[in-house]
């Protein structure tokens, strides 16, 4: 069909108002021509249809808020027992919590209980601060929601750091430990530490007058907690009061993690004469302590502490650092996260208490280690009477695997970690000349001691190639001289030749079980309770970072993997609780203190209680009731039951003596230590 174009009429041919047909045509034209109002409406509609970035953000925030309020509503509306119903439907009946079970058996309160928290699990609050911390008086800087980390991160780092010369408070800042059971019941909302144990003890009648949280500032050296806060004196007074008000029943002490070393220090301090000690006399522990039940104790230190002090890394941090290069070293806001973490943690003297102790005698040398032949496998329960007979199939599998040099705590390169010692050309770094780096304006001059080393010093460290437990100490003295100068005044890492030497009366030796003796308390018992069955950091493969001037110059080489050895993401793993290797947690109770030895002259009875790790079956179980992980073990029902039985009067023999799943006895036999 052809289209005929209408010709625009001229003025002379314009239709008149009297023509009806012309009027209709004019009305139709008016309808077709948009008015100004119509144009404005169409533009507004187009703008409404256009989706901007701001709209997306608002929609996302709104969705999150709605979801959050909906979940909060469900949390408050659903009965507290809902999780138990669902879990029972999936896995079958859930056993009673230990407190409920033992209450049915008739157990009640007997011995007062003292909790000694470990590093980082105790809350810290602000009592005095700088201008940037306005409004934070007595608010938690550590623990709780950690809100100030996000709101004012640099201010938070400033207030959590200690003086780099004294290891005590910086000028104008006072951060102090939270007191009471709330100090360490939860680390953060929903993340329990001591809360489950406290709740189960309460089931058989315990309350605050029979439970005491020995909170302390876990950042400072053990002796300085007494110098600054008189914490050791407070612990002594509280134990004496609890024993006196509970019919003379001695206390059961339950330290966790670094708290194990802290209480080891306390037992020497309380009996030592003043002013260095508490003046309690040589029989104080015998009069006031029934049992010490150590949980996850790093008696001989942890290799993880070396990685933290050397490069502010552990396995998980190393993976993040490798996955997003530069983000943690020099992130998008140029806050240099790792450098700030290193600067802060290197002012915490307590971290040096966990550097491996005993040198190559305990941890092995370049060519050997007590864990030789270790391979992850299922183990059968054994005790010290059947340690030789119960050799499982892991030995056969281990013999088919490559030799692993666990004694090389730090190796620069996978090839160095695997090479025979005869093929390693180790250039001594101790006399290397440190040079000054160029002032670094691009990285905000965040000071670390690596800047003072210069490139020559950094290169010398890498050229030494392999470090054992003994040479690691020299390494840390070289890369962190101020840190180690403070540490040398408060901690020691050797093995005593003669414990009668007067020098071992100094407090720097009190937290090292290889340089001090247990109290003269033959009726006292000591337990070492820890998880097994989880790969635990033992040695590291390192490399130099490409930008040593801006970044921390060393990092774990996460590309180093080996299917034939327990090497993954640059970390060699052994058996342990994910933080403390079995060797460190178990050796003293398996051999060093077993029977009458020079470290245990009164013959205090020691027991090993190992808990095989079993992860939760589903998300509704939370962190599980059979976990062997370093912190999660605090919710392990079997461990809690053992503690409650002892608190109610049982002894180690009543629990069945040793409960061992690992090769700790076999490892101990490989260590040639004078007893």
């Amino acid at each position: 069909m052809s289209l005929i174009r209408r010709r625009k009429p001229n003025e002379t041919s314009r239709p008149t108002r009297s023509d009806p047909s012309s009027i209709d045509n004019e009305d139709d034209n008016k309808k077709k021509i948009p008015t100004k109002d119509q144009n404005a409406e169409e533009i507004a509609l187009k703008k409404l249809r256009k989706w901007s970035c701001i709209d997306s953000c608002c929609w996302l925030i709104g969705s999150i808020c709605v979801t959050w309020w909906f979940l909060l509503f469900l949390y408050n509306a659903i009965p507290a027992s809902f999780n138990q119903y669902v879990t029972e439907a999936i896995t079958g009946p859930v056993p009673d919590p230990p407190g409920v079970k033992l209450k049915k058996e008739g157990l009640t309160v007997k011995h007062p209980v003292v909790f000694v928290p470990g590093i980082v699990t105790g809350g810290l609050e602000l009592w005095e601060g700088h201008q940037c911390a306005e409004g934070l008086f007595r608010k938690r800087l550590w623990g709780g929601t950690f809100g100030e980390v996000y709101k004012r991160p640099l201010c938070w780092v400033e207030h959590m750091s200690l003086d780099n010369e004294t290891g005590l408070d910086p000028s104008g800042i006072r951060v102090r430990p939270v007191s009471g059971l709330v100090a360490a019941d939860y680390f953060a909302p929903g993340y329990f530490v001591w809360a489950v144990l406290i709740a189960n003890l309460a089931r058989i009648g315990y309350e605050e007058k029979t439970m005491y949280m020995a909170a302390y500032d876990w950042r400072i050296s053990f002796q300085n907690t007494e110098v600054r806060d008189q914490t050791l004196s407070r612990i002594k007074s509280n134990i004496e009061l609890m024993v006196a008000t509970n019919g003379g029943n001695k206390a059961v002490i339950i330290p966790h993690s670094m708290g194990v070393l802290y209480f080891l220090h306390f037992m020497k301090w309380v009996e030592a004469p003043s002013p260095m000690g508490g003046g309690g006399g040589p029989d104080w522990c015998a009069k006031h302590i029934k049992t010490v039940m150590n949980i996850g104790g790093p008696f001989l230190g942890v290799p993880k502490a070396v990685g933290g002090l050397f490069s502010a890394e552990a396995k998980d941090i190393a993976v993040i650092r490798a996955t997003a290069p530069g983000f943690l070293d020099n992130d998008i806001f140029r806050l240099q996260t790792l450098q700030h973490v290193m600067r802060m943690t290197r002012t915490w003297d307590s971290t040096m208490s966990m550097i491996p102790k005993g040198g190559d005698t305990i941890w092995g040398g370049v060519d050997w280690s007590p864990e030789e032949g270790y391979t992850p496998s299922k183990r059968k329960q054994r005790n010290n009477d059947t340690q030789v007979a119960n050799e499982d199939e892991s030995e056969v599998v281990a013999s088919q695997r490559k030799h692993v040099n666990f004694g090389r705590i730090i190796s620069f390169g996978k090839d160095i970690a695997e090479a025979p010692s005869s093929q390693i050309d180790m250039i001594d770094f101790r006399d290397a000349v440190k040079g000054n780096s160029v002032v670094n304006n691009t990285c905000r001059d965040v000071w670390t001691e690596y800047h003072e080393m210069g490139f020559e010093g950094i290169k010398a460290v890498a050229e030494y190639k392999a470090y054992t437990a003994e040479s690691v100490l020299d390494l840390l003295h070289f890369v962190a001289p101020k840190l180690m100068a403070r540490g040398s005044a408060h901690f020691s890492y050797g093995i005593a030749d003669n414990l009668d030497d007067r020098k071992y009366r100094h407090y720097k030796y009190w937290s090292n079980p290889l340089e001090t003796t247990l109290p003269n308390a033959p009726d006292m018992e000591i337990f070492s309770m820890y998880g097994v069955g989880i790969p635990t950091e033992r040695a590291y493969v390192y490399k130099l970072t490409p930008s040593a001037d801006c970044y921390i110059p060393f990092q774990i080489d996460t590309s180093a993997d080996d299917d034939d050895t327990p090497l993954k993401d640059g970390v060699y793993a052994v058996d342990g609780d994910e933080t403390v290797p079995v060797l460190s947690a178990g050796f003293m109770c398996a051999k060093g203190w077993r029977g009458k030895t020079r470290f245990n002259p009164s013959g205090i009875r020691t027991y090993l209680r190992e808990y095989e790790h079993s992860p939760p079956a589903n998300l509704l179980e939370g962190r599980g009731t059979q976990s062997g992980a370093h912190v999660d073990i605090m919710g392990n029902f079997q461990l809690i039951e053992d503690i409650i039985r002892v608190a109610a009067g049982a002894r180690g023999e009543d629990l069945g003596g040793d409960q061992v799943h690992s090769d700790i006895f076999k490892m101990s036999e490989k260590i040639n230590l004078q007893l």
Side-chain angles (χ1 to χ4, degrees):
M1 183 176 68
S2 61
L3 296 175
I4 301 174
R5 184 176 179 181
R6 181 181 298 162
R7 200 174 75 179
K8 185 177 179 179
N10 54 30
E11 293 293 324
T12 57
S13 62
R14 184 178 297 273
T16 62
R17 300 290 295 176
S18 60
D19 187 355
S21 62
S22 64
I23 293 173
D24 291 340
N25 289 335
E26 188 175 339
D27 290 339
D28 290 341
N29 290 337
K30 283 182 180 180
K31 289 178 182 179
K32 292 177 182 178
I33 299 173
T35 64
K36 289 183 179 181
D37 291 339
Q38 288 174 330
N39 285 335
E41 288 177 5
E42 288 181 4
I43 293 170
L45 286 172
K46 286 180 180 178
K47 285 183 177 180
L48 286 172
R49 292 191 194 104
K50 188 176 180 181
W51 192 265
S52 67
C53 181
I54 296 175
D55 296 325
S56 300
C57 292
C58 292
W59 182 88
L60 178 63
I61 293 170
S63 299
I64 292 172
C65 290
V66 170
T67 304
W68 169 253
W69 285 111
F70 178 70
L71 292 174
L72 190 64
F73 169 76
L74 288 179
Y75 178 79
N76 289 294
I78 294 175
S81 56
F82 177 76
N83 285 355
Q84 182 178 344
Y85 294 147
V86 176
T87 301
E88 288 182 352
I90 297 172
T91 62
V94 176
D96 285 336
V100 175
K101 173 186 173 183
L102 298 179
K103 184 179 180 180
K104 292 177 181 177
E105 293 183 15
L107 270 65
T108 58
V109 179
K110 184 174 183 181
H111 296 277
V113 171
V114 178
F115 310 116
V116 187
I119 192 170
V120 310
T121 54
L124 300 174
E125 60 187 17
L126 184 69
W127 281 80
E128 181 184 4
H130 293 162
Q131 184 65 34
C132 66
E134 189 70 30
L136 296 181
F137 176 68
R138 293 208 64 199
K139 298 289 180 62
R140 287 202 184 196
L141 290 187
W142 188 272
T145 61
F146 286 92
E148 300 310 315
V149 179
Y150 312 108
K151 296 176 184 176
R152 28 191 157 183
L154 295 181
C155 181
W156 180 82
V157 168
E158 179 185 8
H159 285 75
M160 282 299 298
S161 299
L162 296 167
D163 186 273
N164 204 39
E165 301 292 337
T166 65
L168 294 170
D169 294 323
S171 177
I173 294 176
R174 282 186 295 145
V175 175
R176 297 292 182 264
V178 177
S179 59
L181 295 177
V182 296
D185 54 351
Y186 287 91
F187 174 66
Y191 192 91
F192 70 82
V193 182
W194 295 91
V196 177
L197 177 56
I198 291 171
N200 278 278
L201 283 166
R203 294 278 191 177
I204 67 165
Y206 277 87
E207 51 190 279
E208 204 149 9
K209 68 181 180 181
T210 48
M211 293 189 287
Y212 167 60
M213 183 71 71
Y216 60 99
D217 189 339
W218 44 261
R219 300 172 303 160
I220 62 180
S221 69
F222 301 159
Q223 190 67 10
N224 273 343
T225 63
E226 174 64 17
V227 171
R228 195 194 71 179
D229 302 333
Q230 293 75 54
T231 303
L232 298 174
S233 294
R234 293 171 187 271
I235 295 174
K236 175 176 178 283
S237 298
N238 275 283
I239 292 175
E240 290 172 345
L241 177 63
M242 293 174 77
V243 170
T245 56
N246 280 274
N249 290 319
K250 299 176 187 179
V252 172
I253 314 298
I254 310 172
H256 173 244
S257 189
M258 191 186 76
V260 169
L261 302 179
Y262 186 69
F263 196 76
L264 202 60
H265 180 98
F266 171 84
M267 286 194 293
K268 295 302 292 185
W269 172 88
V270 74
E271 294 189 344
S274 57
M276 186 182 295
D283 59 350
W284 190 93
C285 290
K287 290 179 178 178
H288 295 90
I289 300 176
K290 173 189 183 287
T291 308
V292 183
M293 308 190 78
N294 302 289
I295 304 175
F299 289 103
L300 303 177
V302 288
K304 205 171 188 177
V306 175
L309 293 172
F310 186 52
S311 62
E313 288 179 294
K315 182 178 179 179
D316 296 337
I317 298 296
V319 171
I320 296 172
R321 195 177 177 191
T323 305
F327 181 79
L328 289 179
D329 293 271
N330 187 18
D331 62 21
I332 55 176
F333 301 109
R334 305 191 69 78
L335 292 178
Q336 294 183 295
T337 310
L338 274 185
Q339 282 88 329
H340 282 296
V341 169
M342 173 174 280
R343 185 183 67 174
M344 177 177 70
T345 56
R346 280 194 178 182
T347 67
W348 297 350
D349 290 352
S350 63
T351 58
M352 289 177 282
S353 70
M354 293 184 289
I355 293 173
K357 303 175 178 70
D360 295 358
T361 301
I362 299 294
W363 294 93
V366 176
D367 288 321
W368 82 280
S369 69
E371 299 99 335
E372 278 181 346
Y374 163 75
T375 181
S377 64
K378 293 183 179 179
R379 296 178 295 272
K380 299 175 183 178
Q381 182 174 329
R382 69 194 76 176
N383 56 43
N384 55 331
D385 297 324
T386 59
Q387 56 181 299
V388 179
N390 281 340
E391 300 293 340
D392 59 26
E393 67 276 6
S394 64
E395 291 189 15
V396 178
V397 177
S399 64
Q400 300 171 352
R401 286 178 171 260
K402 293 164 61 176
H403 176 74
V404 179
N405 301 302
F406 291 115
R408 304 176 192 179
I409 294 179
I410 290 178
S411 301
F412 276 90
K414 182 184 174 186
D415 55 334
I416 299 297
E418 297 175 344
S421 59
S422 59
Q423 298 178 11
I424 302 176
D425 185 16
M426 302 168 72
I427 302 173
D428 199 345
F429 65 92
R430 296 171 182 86
D431 297 325
V433 178
K434 294 184 179 181
N436 292 321
S437 298
V438 178
V439 176
N440 185 355
N441 292 320
T442 61
C443 296
R444 282 195 173 187
D445 290 326
V446 177
W447 176 87
T448 68
E449 287 176 300
Y450 286 126
H451 290 153
E452 295 181 356
M453 286 177 58
F455 296 115
E456 289 302 317
I458 291 168
K459 182 181 176 183
V461 167
E463 287 179 344
Y464 191 73
K465 297 183 176 64
Y467 295 84
T468 63
E470 289 181 3
S471 53
V472 154
L473 290 174
D474 296 326
L475 170 65
L476 293 176
H477 275 284
F478 187 77
V479 302
K482 291 186 177 181
L483 172 82
M484 295 303 290
R486 296 195 316 272
S488 297
H490 290 276
F491 303 104
S492 183
Y493 312 100
I495 300 174
D497 295 323
N498 178 15
L499 285 166
D500 293 328
D501 192 326
R502 293 183 63 87
K503 76 174 186 178
Y504 293 111
R505 298 180 185 180
H506 191 274
Y507 59 76
K508 68 181 286 185
Y509 301 103
W510 291 348
S511 61
N512 181 358
L514 300 173
E515 294 183 303
T516 190
T517 59
L518 289 177
N520 183 22
D523 293 332
M524 195 169 84
E525 294 183 329
I526 294 180
F527 287 77
S528 185
M529 314 169 79
Y530 53 91
V532 295
I534 309 177
T536 303
E537 296 173 36
R538 176 63 167 86
Y540 304 91
V541 176
Y542 267 87
K543 67 178 182 180
L544 287 173
T545 55
S547 303
D549 189 42
C550 280
Y551 301 166
I552 294 171
F554 311 108
Q555 73 177 95
I556 297 172
D557 185 1
T558 55
S559 66
D561 286 297
D562 193 338
D563 293 335
D564 294 328
T565 65
L567 172 64
K568 185 177 181 182
D569 296 326
V571 178
Y572 284 101
V574 293
D575 194 10
D577 69 358
E578 206 169 30
T579 297
V580 183
V582 164
L583 177 65
S584 179
F587 173 78
M588 292 309 298
C589 283
K591 184 175 181 179
W593 290 332
R594 184 61 57 112
K596 280 192 176 184
T597 69
R598 65 191 185 106
F599 305 110
N600 181 16
S602 66
I604 294 173
R605 299 206 64 174
T606 62
Y607 298 96
L608 287 170
R609 301 289 291 178
E610 293 184 346
Y611 303 88
E612 186 79 38
H613 175 67
S614 179
N618 55 70
L619 292 175
L620 293 174
E621 287 189 19
R623 289 152 62 194
T625 59
Q626 301 178 61
S627 176
H630 187 63
V631 177
D632 294 355
I633 197 174
M634 303 294 282
N636 185 299
F637 277 12
Q638 188 183 357
L639 175 137
I640 293 172
E641 182 175 331
D642 288 346
I643 290 173
I644 295 177
R645 288 188 183 278
V646 171
R651 298 185 66 82
E653 291 179 352
D654 300 323
L655 301 184
D658 292 329
Q659 174 181 280
V660 180
H661 301 278
S662 72
D663 290 327
I664 182 59
F665 291 114
K666 189 167 69 173
M667 294 179 203
S668 300
E669 288 303 313
K670 295 179 182 179
I671 296 174
N672 184 18
L673 179 67
Q674 178 191 349
L675 298 177

